[in-house]
């Protein structure tokens, strides 16, 4: 069994242990030498080039992804060559293009913010007029970790993006209502090629400066009926997974609103930062489950090993060098915490690793993970 | 941080996930192409050749092992070159030479069977006369999985081995009393270079045809006071670890006698089959702990994630091909069991993988692991 992964970041890196365990051969197409998943690296090249990707994909049982940026024409060339791609281009489109995603969510009846495509000043003005004069403008493509998202109260605020979109030099735009949300949640599941679906518990993600900082599994109680909310989130994710035909792991990022509803924020069709806790915290990690799903193997149980798991991202890393340079102190202070280094050089704000703790009491678990992560702060 | 591993079998293979997680670079010296740990393979060569091992060890922070067969003169050449070796040659000697091991256990006062070196017919006859006419003859070197061990009742039974030993063509010999044991146990610990020691719970190993077939963690109750026995085993292993100065993971294989004592059977100074359950069953796996210990990093907690873990070896594998070929059935039947394939071709009796289950009730856990493993039987 051979899985080819386009991209060699930490997500591909974290597939390595699962592949080693199951005896699956992993091949990685890296953008450059020395990337996070370099241990499994077998090729270096441009994922936007169909010939490069086709050459890499030759001989694999399935092609999958560390990121969602492979262009549709490249994906379709691989499919046309008779190579299995998971998730396929038809599904991946909805993780690549936010306008297409919002359109599809509307068709499926998934709860989401009011939204509209923006192709002109008038489109934006009309939306602002109808929504109290403020809204969230997004680029349909290329956004992540807060990039490609802007709060606007006038067409002037959007001048550069609209001009770029109209001229075709920038990505298309959409506008969404400001959601009065109290916190962010994430519902992850895996769907295999034959259509088996297994969901992890609903988790809570805490963002800092628009970047995921902490994940609580399961989501803390919050306001209202937690069990009802968990069931609703799982149902929404299930609806979407079948509606878009995703194969592999998918994360549905959700806003929880002040009035107790959940609405779809974004989709990710690959292992996701909100699921790193599953490595130690769930019977089947998101990385193993992704490999099973894209190889069309039966999926594993996604229950929790212990009642609580908390993951804290290491953002930036120590002021000089790598996480490993301060292991002596961190490991001594936290002998029951799990440290993950992506073998990246520290840089302000860069995700260079994460720390996970599991146990019975969520607050104690959070404290342990937090202490562990703080050793690596700049 | 770079760890060099001599040997590329499943033990080196299972170090890969731990190394990936911690951001440690693993380099492996394989005996041949295509071995179990080939993902991390950086060199192929003969571990009995000092120049080969020295060349491989250049630039690593520490050299460690997948097996105990590297000759003492090669180990000493590496140490003399200023490269850290863990475990060091002085400790490893006691895992390489059973006569040296028995001598050292006697000096340390560790409980063990009566024994004697055998360099002549008279040595063996005298031991047989003193021990009721039957005993276990062993080669001092080269034995594993029941090889190099023979039950004898006369010098005639030992003719070939004694002749070979006396002529210098075969390994030296020792003889041990027949121990009336009820079961076998294994006490594992890790000792770091600075001398920190952390012990896993005492486990029970079930052998079939002299090969480890199943491991129960913790050891089932058995006769007598289980807590007292666990404490005694941990104390013995601690005494030995400090007495031989081991660095890295060590397993002390023990016999439990009909009269309720434990006596030392063998030592292993590397990750060990009796510790594979730690991958899912303990907060720190033996593979991660070994890397921490040989790099002189602080050790992790070795407690159990759930009250029970059972590991079942896959011996032989499916009648044709690899474990992966029957995954479709096995994974579907056992969604909460952990499958490990060493990516080896099946061969009668060969360890090609293992299966682990964890949970609250030891018998249910054992049943689940057993069902999982049976899918791969020839």
């Amino acid at each position: 069994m051979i899985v080819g992964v386009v991209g060699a970041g930490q997500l591909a890196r974290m597939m390595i242990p699962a592949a080693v365990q199951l005896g699956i051969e992993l091949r990685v197409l890296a953008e450059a030498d020395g990337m996070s998943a370099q241990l499994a690296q077998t090729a270096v090249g441009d994922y936007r080039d169909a010939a490069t990707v086709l050459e890499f994909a030759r001989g694999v049982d399935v092609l999958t992804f560390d990121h969602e940026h492979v262009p549709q024409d490249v994906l379709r060339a691989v499919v046309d060559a008779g190579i299995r791609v998971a998730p396929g281009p038809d599904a991946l489109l909805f993780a690549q293009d936010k306008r297409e995603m919002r359109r599809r969510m509307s068709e499926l009846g998934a709860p989401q913010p009011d939204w509209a495509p923006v192709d002109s000043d008038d489109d934006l003005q009309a939306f602002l007029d109808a929504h109290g004069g403020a809204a969230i403008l997004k680029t349909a493509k290329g956004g992540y970790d807060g990039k490609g998202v802007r709060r606007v109260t006038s067409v002037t605020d959007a001048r550069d993006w609209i001009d770029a979109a109209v001229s075709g030099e920038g990505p298309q735009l959409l506008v969404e209502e400001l959601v009065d949300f109290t916190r962010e949640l994430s519902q992850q599941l895996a769907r295999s090629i034959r259509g088996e679906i297994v969901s992890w518990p609903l988790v809570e993600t805490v963002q800092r400066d628009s970047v995921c900082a902490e994940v609580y599994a399961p989501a803390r109680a919050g306001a209202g009926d937690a069990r009802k909310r968990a069931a609703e989130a799982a149902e929404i994710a299930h609806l979407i997974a079948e509606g878009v035909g995703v194969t592999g792991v998918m994360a549905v990022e959700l806003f929880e609103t002040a009035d107790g509803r959940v609405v779809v924020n974004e989709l990710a069709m690959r292992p996701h930062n909100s699921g790193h806790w599953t490595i130690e915290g769930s019977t089947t990690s998101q990385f193993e489950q992704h490999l099973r799903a894209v190889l069309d193997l039966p999926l594993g149980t996604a229950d929790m090993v212990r009642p609580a798991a908390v993951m804290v991202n290491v953002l930036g890393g120590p002021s000089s060098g790598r996480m490993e340079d301060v292991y002596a102190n961190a490991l001594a202070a936290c002998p029951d915490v799990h440290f993950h280094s992506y073998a990246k050089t520290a840089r302000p704000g860069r995700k260079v690793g994460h720390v996970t703790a599991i146990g019975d009491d969520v607050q104690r678990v959070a404290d342990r993970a937090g202490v562990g992560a703080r050793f690596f702060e700049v």
Side-chain angles (χ1 to χ4, degrees), chain A:
Chain A
M1 291 178 185
I2 305 173
V3 175
V5 185
V6 179
Q10 64 262 30
L11 302 178
R13 178 185 181 88
M14 287 186 270
M15 292 180 201
I16 297 173
V20 166
Q21 176 177 323
L22 287 172
I24 293 164
E25 183 180 335
L26 204 66
R27 297 181 187 170
V28 168
L29 176 63
E31 291 163 63
D33 276 320
M35 290 188 68
S36 191
Q38 63 180 330
L39 181 63
Q41 180 177 306
T42 52
V44 175
D46 185 350
Y47 59 77
R48 295 164 301 186
D49 177 61
T52 300
V53 176
L54 271 169
E55 172 65 25
F56 170 72
R58 199 151 295 148
V60 306
D61 291 302
V62 61
L63 188 75
T64 188
F65 310 95
D66 169 86
H67 57 70
E68 290 138 341
H69 310 318
V70 181
Q72 283 282 322
D73 58 338
V74 174
L75 295 172
R76 291 188 194 281
V78 178
V79 171
D80 289 347
I83 297 161
R84 185 184 269 181
V85 175
D90 291 341
L92 210 51
L93 176 66
F94 303 111
Q96 293 180 326
D97 187 317
K98 293 189 175 69
R99 277 165 63 141
E100 295 293 343
M101 187 273 277
R102 288 295 180 211
R103 261 192 209 112
R104 189 76 185 116
M105 293 305 101
S106 298
E107 288 168 7
L108 291 171
Q112 63 175 349
D114 278 349
W115 75 283
V118 172
D119 295 316
S120 67
D121 292 4
D122 288 352
D123 288 343
L124 179 57
Q125 193 58 57
F127 193 88
L128 285 170
D129 291 346
H131 291 85
I136 299 293
L137 189 68
K138 292 184 175 180
T139 58
K141 294 188 181 183
Y144 69 99
D145 284 353
K147 293 176 186 69
V149 176
R150 187 187 288 181
R151 186 180 186 281
V152 294
T153 55
S154 69
V155 169
T156 313
D157 289 344
R159 187 73 279 139
D160 52 343
W161 282 11
I162 294 178
D163 287 349
V166 169
S167 72
E169 280 162 23
Q172 289 193 306
L173 304 173
L174 69 160
V175 63
E176 299 178 359
E177 68 169 319
L178 283 171
V179 176
D180 179 22
F181 65 91
T182 49
R183 57 178 183 163
E184 296 189 49
L185 305 170
S186 175
Q187 177 63 54
Q188 259 199 320
L189 57 71
R191 181 172 178 272
S192 69
I193 288 171
R194 77 189 67 176
E196 185 188 5
I197 290 180
V198 173
S199 298
W200 283 276
L202 179 67
V203 304
E204 179 179 345
T205 62
V206 178
Q207 321 287 121
R208 253 174 240 128
D209 301 327
S210 302
V211 176
C212 176
E214 293 166 22
V215 174
Y216 291 78
R220 289 173 293 186
D225 187 334
R227 247 186 311 184
K228 209 181 117 193
R229 182 171 49 241
E232 192 187 342
E235 206 175 298
I236 293 167
H238 202 284
L239 172 81
I240 296 171
E242 296 199 322
V244 303
V246 69
T247 46
V249 161
M250 180 180 74
V252 181
E253 297 181 50
L254 297 156
F255 291 131
E256 184 180 16
T257 63
D259 55 354
R261 293 173 306 127
V262 290
V263 296
V264 174
N265 178 23
E266 310 224 327
L267 302 184
M269 296 187 191
R270 49 168 170 76
H272 188 251
N273 200 163
S274 68
H276 292 352
W277 68 272
T278 60
I279 296 173
E280 292 89 8
S282 175
T283 298
T284 310
S285 81
Q286 64 167 339
F287 300 101
E288 175 175 345
Q289 200 78 301
H290 187 73
L291 295 177
R292 289 182 180 216
V294 301
L295 284 166
D296 204 23
L297 288 170
L299 301 180
T301 308
D303 56 355
M304 296 188 68
V305 171
R306 297 288 293 274
V310 175
M311 187 233 50
V312 180
N313 272 337
V314 177
L315 298 168
S319 51
S320 69
R322 290 181 171 186
M323 284 179 66
E324 298 84 281
D325 301 337
V326 288
Y327 268 174
N329 293 329
L331 274 55
C334 307
D336 59 357
V337 158
H338 303 279
F339 296 94
H340 294 256
S341 166
Y342 307 155
K344 290 180 174 180
T345 308
R347 204 163 62 200
R350 191 182 202 196
K351 288 179 187 170
V352 298
H354 74 267
V355 169
T356 298
I358 67 173
D360 295 326
D361 178 79
V362 64
Q363 196 48 56
R364 275 193 218 161
V365 169
D367 290 346
R368 283 162 50 213
V371 168
R374 270 194 292 282
F375 279 93
F376 306 103
E377 281 177 6
V378 180

